[in-house]
């Protein structure tokens, strides 16, 4: 079974600064997908970024980028130039590539951007 | 854009009641999921379905059942609600088995069992 660990329950950062959220996972699979989801106070889960394990290049989406270290089973999210709208719960999630489409989530990191 | 709609945003029920949580998606997705979200525990999978009339147990199915009579609708049933089922329930859908694409989520139902 896969497990996902987020060791930072809460973080806060000043607006415009850069922040990194940590995620580690455990799996015996070689092919899989990793995701970061954002859940703002509205409760709507929104995909932030997706990484395919067979791709060595780290995924980026505007101000969001990941540091994917496959050997270390680490998948951290970097938010650059943080904005007030980035305040949310962030969840790291794992999907194995054997067709069951299930996401296994970490426990989340509550991020607060301070004006 | 895909829309996943959950019928209630907040729900209050009594212990022992039968509870139905409804979820509808509008993009012809084959896969549908029910998760519960609790502080400090993240999201945990209750049940999922790949097609009409199909269902699979997730990680915490005890005390729950599901129904998928139509492709767009996936219902979660609490046969006899208990206080430990007080939680946020999130429905999600995705394209089809093997696509390995993202899940689209509803806005959640906050259920309180008194």
């Amino acid at each position: 079974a896969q497990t996902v660990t987020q060791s930072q329950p809460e973080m806060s950062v000043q607006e415009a600064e850069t922040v990194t959220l940590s995620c580690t996972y455990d799996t015996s699979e070689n092919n899989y997908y990793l995701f970061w989801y954002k859940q703002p106070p509205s409760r709507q889960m929104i995909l932030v970024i997706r990484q395919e394990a067979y791709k060595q290049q780290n995924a980026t989406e505007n101000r969001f980028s990941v540091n994917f270290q496959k050997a270390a089973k680490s998948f951290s999210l970097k938010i650059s130039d943080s904005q007030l709208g980035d305040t949310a719960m962030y969840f790291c999630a794992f999907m194995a590539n054997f067709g069951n489409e299930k996401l296994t989530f970490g426990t989340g990191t509550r991020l607060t951007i301070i004006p | 854009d895909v829309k996943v709609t959950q019928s209630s945003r907040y729900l209050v029920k009594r212990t022992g009641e039968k509870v139905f949580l409804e979820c509808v998606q509008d993009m012809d997705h084959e896969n549908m999921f029910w998760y519960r979200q609790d502080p400090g525990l993240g999201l945990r999978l209750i049940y999922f379905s790949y097609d009409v009339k199909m269902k699979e147990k997730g990680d915490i199915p005890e005390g729950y059942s599901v129904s998928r009579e139509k492709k767009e609708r996936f219902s979660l049933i609490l046969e006899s609600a208990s206080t430990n089922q007080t939680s946020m329930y999130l429905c999600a859908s995705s394209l089809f088995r093997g696509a390995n694409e993202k899940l689209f989520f509803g806005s959640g139902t906050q259920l309180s069992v008194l």
Side-chain angles (χ1 to χ4, degrees):
Chain A
Q2 289 78 28
T3 59
V4 178
T5 302
Q6 294 180 250
S7 58
Q8 305 151 313
E10 294 189 18
M11 296 184 73
S12 60
V13 66
Q14 293 289 139
E15 190 176 7
E17 290 187 351
T18 294
V19 61
T20 299
L21 281 58
S22 301
C23 174
T24 58
Y25 57 94
D26 188 26
T27 183
S28 57
E29 300 295 326
N30 192 45
N31 292 325
Y32 49 86
Y33 302 84
L34 296 162
F35 302 79
W36 278 100
Y37 275 87
K38 168 186 176 181
Q39 186 182 44
S42 67
R43 305 187 331 205
Q44 183 72 54
M45 294 277 280
I46 302 163
L47 179 69
V48 175
I49 205 161
R50 175 178 179 269
Q51 174 79 43
E52 296 159 353
Y54 64 86
K55 289 188 177 179
Q56 292 189 344
Q57 188 172 5
N58 289 326
T60 62
E61 287 288 341
N62 301 313
R63 298 182 295 108
F64 298 87
S65 61
V66 298
N67 183 5
F68 173 49
Q69 302 288 330
K70 190 173 183 180
K73 295 180 182 174
S74 171
F75 182 60
S76 60
L77 175 70
K78 185 172 84 170
I79 306 174
S80 303
D81 185 27
S82 56
Q83 301 174 357
L84 297 180
D86 296 333
T87 292
M89 282 289 289
Y90 287 81
F91 292 97
C92 179
F94 173 99
M95 180 188 290
N97 185 26
F98 45 65
N100 69 9
E101 303 295 310
K102 295 191 300 181
L103 276 179
T104 300
F105 286 86
T107 52
T109 296
R110 182 174 301 281
L111 176 66
T112 302
I113 309 300
I114 303 166
Chain B
D1 229 4
V2 175
K3 193 163 185 183
V4 180
T5 303
Q6 295 184 231
S7 54
S8 303
R9 190 163 175 85
Y10 298 96
L11 210 53
V12 179
K13 295 293 182 181
R14 296 281 181 192
T15 301
E17 280 193 76
K18 191 169 185 176
V19 181
F20 292 86
L21 302 183
E22 306 288 345
C23 175
V24 178
Q25 49 92 6
D26 66 358
M27 282 299 290
D28 203 34
H29 283 178
E30 293 188 3
N31 308 326
M32 296 190 75
F33 306 83
W34 275 107
Y35 285 87
R36 67 176 278 176
Q37 181 180 357
D38 299 287
L41 296 177
L43 281 74
R44 293 177 292 166
L45 183 63
I46 305 171
Y47 266 97
F48 58 105
S49 168
Y50 296 127
D51 202 350
V52 176
K53 300 209 185 280
M54 286 184 61
K55 61 183 179 182
E56 303 266 355
K57 291 181 180 179
D59 299 318
I60 52 163
E62 296 78 20
Y64 303 94
S65 63
V66 290
S67 172
R68 192 162 181 203
E69 296 294 321
K70 293 185 178 181
K71 190 174 185 178
E72 67 271 18
R73 185 180 296 270
F74 193 36
S75 303
L76 180 69
I77 304 158
L78 287 65
E79 296 289 343
S80 177
S82 63
T83 54
N84 63 13
Q85 292 177 311
T86 290
S87 186
M88 171 80 75
Y89 290 87
L90 290 167
C91 176
S93 71
S94 66
L95 276 170
F96 55 85
R97 194 168 183 177
N100 298 118
E101 290 294 332
K102 68 177 183 180
L103 270 61
F104 292 84
F105 284 84
S107 296
T109 296
Q110 179 64 54
L111 173 67
S112 296
V113 182
L114 306 177

